Amino acid sequence: MPAPVVKIENLVKRYKELIALDHFSLEISEGEIFGLLGPNGSGKTTTINCLLSLLSFDKGSIEIFGEKMSPDNYKIKSKIGIIMQNVAVINELTVYENIDYFCGLYIKDKATRKQYVKEAIEFVGLEEFVKFRPKKLSGGLLRRLNIACGIAHKPSLIILDEPTVAVDPQSRNKILEGIVELNRSGATIIYTSHYMEEVEQICTRIAIMDKGRQIAVGTKEELKKQIKDTEKITIEVMDISDELLEEIRGLEHIGEATFDGGELSVKCHGGKHNLIRVLTLLQQNDIKIGRVYSKQPTLNDVFLEITGKELRD
Ligand code: ADP
Ligand code: MG
């Protein structure tokens, strides 16, 4: 098996008495879009900064491309593209000059660099803004510039730390599509976010973080399988007898069944066709049915079940 692109083992990082990372481990393989999902303050940015040797840490080890990462390992650094949570561009330079500057840190050949800068501009769709200075750009466009600066040198590992915070929906979609495209063209991606929908949408695997710890890891399907309630069914009904409720609870794969405010709520544990079985039972008992919803669990439900609190704050 090839060495993982990133291997973090038992990382501990303290800021004075605060433990920001508490024996945090992670392995990321080539070709993944790996999501680090966690609420604000859970340690995502600290992980990224340790990974890049921008921050020293108290315990643990970090390998990138099978080598120990260190502040002066420029060979590794040249293969990484980093898009920081706080936009890091130079205000005195135009859009074009910014991308050219960051690309130039890695790509010395002028003709190649010109081509790469052009491709990065097209990639983020900033063709019309090349002469603008960062201050003149909207939040979304500024984020796109930040991304262009991080990816122009065609790194094979791209790290994006909350690249969609405070951007308009159009830029957000463009950014998400762009990440998938970068991955298709061969880059391994690390993507941090506190938006579970985004992570679900694009990530091949996800580590959920809370208080500096990894609380779960896997594909979104694997994560959802870890929790007890795998489906929530809601059915509008006028009334339902306690006997029938009890009968529903007795169905295979069904746990809780409650009736409140004209709504029957049923929680299921695994199994298939749960909705049909509940509906059939209701029909057999001549219960008139209004609207019906069947909801699969979200990553928020996973977070809620493990930590006892909501992922959204
Ligand atoms: P996230 O990126 O998931 O929002 P961070 O890694 O930024 O989380 O922060 C993790 C924890 O460490 C938080 O409690 C935060 O307040 C704290 N923290 C982050 N940076 C510093 C710092 N430079 N000094 C002290 N505490 C910090
Ligand atoms: Mg952060």
Side-chain angles (χ1 to χ4, degrees):
M1 235 177 68
V5 173
V6 169
K7 187 170 180 183
I8 299 176
E9 270 183 320
N10 279 318
L11 200 59
V12 176
K13 169 68 193 173
R14 287 198 183 87
Y15 296 110
K16 297 207 175 96
E17 55 286 350
L18 178 96
I19 301 180
L21 293 175
D22 185 2
H23 297 88
F24 183 79
S25 301
L26 202 64
E27 262 192 48
I28 301 174
S29 306
E30 196 179 330
E32 291 201 83
I33 302 184
F34 194 93
L36 265 187
L37 175 68
N40 287 330
S42 54
K44 304 181 295 296
T45 299
T46 302
T47 304
I48 301 303
N49 287 341
C50 290
L51 189 63
L52 295 166
S53 283
L54 296 172
L55 203 57
S56 63
F57 44 89
D58 300 278
K59 246 176 91 177
S61 67
I62 294 176
E63 282 180 15
I64 305 184
F65 302 115
E67 271 182 47
K68 189 174 183 301
M69 184 57 176
S70 64
D72 56 0
N73 196 331
Y74 297 106
K75 195 178 118 226
I76 293 183
K77 285 187 173 179
S78 68
K79 294 203 275 179
I80 302 177
I82 168 73
I83 290 100
M84 295 283 186
Q85 176 168 7
N86 297 320
V87 173
V89 295
I90 301 167
N91 285 328
E92 287 70 27
L93 302 181
T94 64
V95 163
Y96 186 95
E97 290 163 347
N98 260 292
I99 303 170
D100 187 53
Y101 172 78
F102 286 104
C103 187
L105 297 177
Y106 308 96
I107 308 295
K108 299 298 165 204
D109 178 69
K110 265 192 180 168
T112 310
R113 185 160 88 231
K114 200 170 170 200
Q115 180 59 28
Y116 279 18
V117 172
K118 182 169 168 279
E119 284 175 27
I121 291 167
E122 286 167 4
F123 184 75
V124 295
L126 281 177
E127 294 93 330
E128 291 167 39
F129 305 94
V130 285
K131 295 213 167 99
F132 282 48
R133 283 184 213 283
K135 284 227 157 61
K136 294 263 187 246
L137 301 176
S138 69
L141 294 180
L142 191 60
R143 286 272 165 188
R144 293 200 223 166
L145 171 61
N146 199 35
I147 293 174
C149 291
I151 59 144
H153 62 292
K154 299 193 190 291
S156 48
L157 171 63
I158 301 173
I159 301 170
L160 301 105
D161 193 5
E162 308 233 27
T164 58
V165 168
V167 306
D168 56 285
Q170 196 196 347
S171 280
R172 183 194 200 104
N173 286 337
K174 189 141 184 77
I175 290 170
L176 293 178
E177 283 164 17
I179 293 170
V180 173
E181 209 176 311
L182 287 167
N183 177 252
R184 281 209 193 105
S185 51
T188 302
I189 312 274
I190 302 179
Y191 177 72
T192 88
S193 180
H194 63 278
Y195 300 124
M196 58 171 182
E197 295 89 350
E198 291 186 354
V199 169
E200 275 205 35
Q201 194 182 327
I202 65 167
C203 293
T204 52
R205 277 198 318 139
I206 300 156
I208 305 185
M209 289 186 81
D210 186 42
K211 295 185 186 150
R213 271 175 289 197
Q214 189 203 84
I215 60 165
V217 65
T219 64
K220 57 180 188 242
E221 292 81 13
E222 285 166 350
L223 290 172
K224 288 174 185 181
K225 269 195 202 136
Q226 290 179 15
I227 64 172
K228 193 164 84 291
D229 299 325
T230 53
E231 186 183 3
K232 275 186 204 159
I233 296 171
T234 308
I235 303 168
E236 287 182 0
V237 291
M238 289 290 275
D239 198 13
I240 193 162
S241 67
D242 287 345
E243 290 76 33
L244 188 50
L245 267 182
E246 205 47 48
E247 215 177 315
I248 294 171
R249 288 184 197 117
L251 291 171
E252 204 187 345
H253 296 301
I254 286 174
E256 246 176 79
T258 50
F259 177 70
D260 188 30
E263 272 186 1
L264 167 67
S265 305
V266 179
K267 288 185 178 170
C268 315
H269 317 322
K272 284 183 179 156
H273 315 301
N274 296 320
L275 178 61
I276 294 176
R277 288 188 295 115
V278 175
L279 289 176
T280 308
L281 186 61
L282 292 177
Q283 267 174 346
Q284 284 166 354
N285 285 274
D286 290 325
I287 303 283
K288 292 226 166 14
I289 294 163
R291 279 190 293 180
V292 175
Y293 325 89
S294 161
K295 220 174 118 251
Q296 299 297 319
T298 63
L299 292 178
N300 188 50
D301 296 319
V302 178
F303 192 80
L304 182 65
E305 191 164 307
I306 301 174
T307 66
K309 62 185 184 195
E310 299 277 330
L311 181 56
R312 298 164 193 280
D313 42 11

